[in-house]
Amino acid sequence: MKTSTVLLLLLSCTLLATAGDKSLFQNNSQQIEFYRQTNAEMVEAALDTVRSHFTSYYEGDMEKLKSAWSRNGIVEVALPGIADKNGLAEFSVQRTSIDLWTQKMQDEIDSSGVQTWSENQFHPDHPLFLTVLNFTESSAMILVEDPTQYLMGPQNSNLRFMNNNSIIFKVVFGASFQMILSPLSNNPKILQMMMTPISGC
């Protein structure tokens, strides 16, 4: 038997012997449950970051809100366009830095006063329910349940309704993200908020 054949046979046997040691496939819900059991504080800290965003938003405190965000945070809004003859609508995506987004909000607050602004939100006292969609050692994707209850973002005269069909946050944490966190720390920070507003009918 040739040396190359013997080596191939030995390699095959080794792979078969170690195959049983490999971890089984883990779906997303199992991965999230693993982190909830092994590092519940990390999961809760990510959720608290989103809660802080909402609390600050309805208080009209944009400086406090920005403290929950990464320095490079982005607000992304997907706006549905006019449907074509097949009933399919194209979407345009508007991306705004968190600095510009909060400045627009502050301008609206300054114009109407913080009390009037807060009272004009659709359901500022609606209970906030959050679902973790994905969780890793470096980031989490968090869904806002029942998003139609929340007004989120500057007024847009092109939209009949100002609340949302979907709101999803991406939260980052850990040493690998220290270069983009503000202030530099391991505390979770929101990197992105993705929204699809209700455009009316």
Side-chain angles (χ1 to χ4, degrees), residues 44-139:
E44 194 58 32
L47 291 168
D48 279 344
T49 300
V50 176
R51 293 184 189 114
S52 177
H53 166 96
F54 273 90
T55 300
S56 304
Y57 177 83
Y58 287 118
E59 290 174 351
D61 189 339
M62 293 299 108
E63 285 304 311
K64 182 180 174 185
L65 184 147
K66 282 173 66 174
S67 70
W69 278 75
S70 157
R71 194 167 49 224
N72 299 331
I74 293 291
V75 176
E76 185 175 287
V77 183
L79 298 171
I82 299 172
D84 62 19
K85 61 182 180 181
N86 298 318
L88 300 174
E90 292 291 332
F91 282 77
S92 62
V93 178
Q94 297 178 354
R95 292 171 58 87
T96 308
S97 71
I98 188 59
D99 286 338
L100 183 57
W101 189 83
T102 50
Q103 185 57 57
K104 288 180 179 179
M105 302 308 304
Q106 191 63 56
D107 291 345
E108 290 183 10
I109 293 167
D110 292 343
S111 175
S112 59
V114 66
Q115 182 174 350
T116 300
W117 182 87
S118 294
E119 290 172 355
N120 286 341
Q121 307 308 302
F122 275 76
H123 297 279
D125 297 322
H126 184 76
L128 181 64
F129 294 100
L130 303 173
T131 296
V132 179
L133 297 178
N134 181 267
F135 201 95
T136 70
E137 292 179 353
S138 59
S139 67

